Amino acid sequence: MTALQTIAEHLTRRRQTVTCAESCTGGLLAGAFTSIAGSSQWFHQSFVTYSNQAKEERLGVMPDTLLQHGAVSRETVYEMARGAKAVAQADYALSISGIAGPGGGSAAKPVGTVWFGLSTPTESLEEMQVFSGDREAVRTQAVEFALNLLAKHLETFAK
């Protein structure tokens, strides 16, 4: 079973919902969710907040968080996921913010650096990955990682 099928099965069975807040993936995660029939039972909306202003206005990310830590940080994806979950009134929220390239990287945050946030009914977690390849490869790997992150969580806590 794929990560997406696992997500669909668990959320449908539990009558729960997921939302997502995306930056560098630009809606690809929402596209993955809606690629399967019946996803409207557990996926109602998402947020593509590419700019810092959008992160602040739509998701409630604090300006100080962006100023002190940057858009690609543990703190920002935490606030993105929590904000998306609250606005969408969803049970789960995934957030993604990263540097897909080819430019924009630095020594501290090279191209391919992507932060992920997951807000659940009981906790929040953040994780960082550094992916290789061109812009499309980084974005594709980011979506796959986010789907696997949620699927593993649902499998672990469904028991």
Side-chain angles (χ1 to χ4, degrees), residues 43-65:
F43 179 72
H44 301 160
Q45 61 183 302
S46 71
F47 305 87
V48 176
T49 54
Y50 205 67
S51 71
N52 286 352
Q53 180 179 353
K55 289 173 182 65
E56 292 173 23
E57 292 175 0
R58 300 295 301 143
L59 304 174
V61 174
M62 301 300 297
D64 284 348
T65 299

Side-chain angles (χ1 to χ4, degrees), residues 6 9-10 13-14 16 92 151-159:
T6 298
E9 178 185 301
H10 281 275
R13 183 169 20 95
R14 295 153 96 181
Q16 292 180 314
Y92 294 88
K152 286 176 188 171
H153 176 84
L154 291 170
E155 287 178 322
T156 301
F157 292 96
K159 297 172 181 168

Side-chain angles (χ1 to χ4, degrees), residues 111-122:
V111 169
T113 302
V114 182
W115 274 97
F116 301 86
L118 174 61
S119 183
T120 78
T122 59

Side-chain angles (χ1 to χ4, degrees), residues 1-7 20 22 24-33 35 94-96 114-116 118 127 129 131-132 135-153 155:
M1 184 178 318
T2 68
L4 190 53
Q5 291 169 325
T6 298
I7 292 166
C20 55
E22 302 178 70
C24 67
T25 49
L28 293 174
L29 181 57
F33 284 150
S35 70
L94 279 166
S95 61
I96 302 173
V114 182
W115 274 97
F116 301 86
L118 174 61
E127 191 166 336
Q129 295 289 305
F131 300 114
S132 60
R135 181 176 182 81
E136 197 56 33
V138 169
R139 289 163 36 106
T140 300
Q141 291 171 83
V143 170
E144 290 172 10
F145 184 86
L147 291 171
N148 284 317
L149 181 67
L150 178 57
K152 286 176 188 171
H153 176 84
E155 287 178 322

Side-chain angles (χ1 to χ4, degrees), residues 27-43:
L28 293 174
L29 181 57
F33 284 150
T34 59
S35 70
I36 60 172
S39 59
S40 62
Q41 293 178 58
W42 48 268
F43 179 72

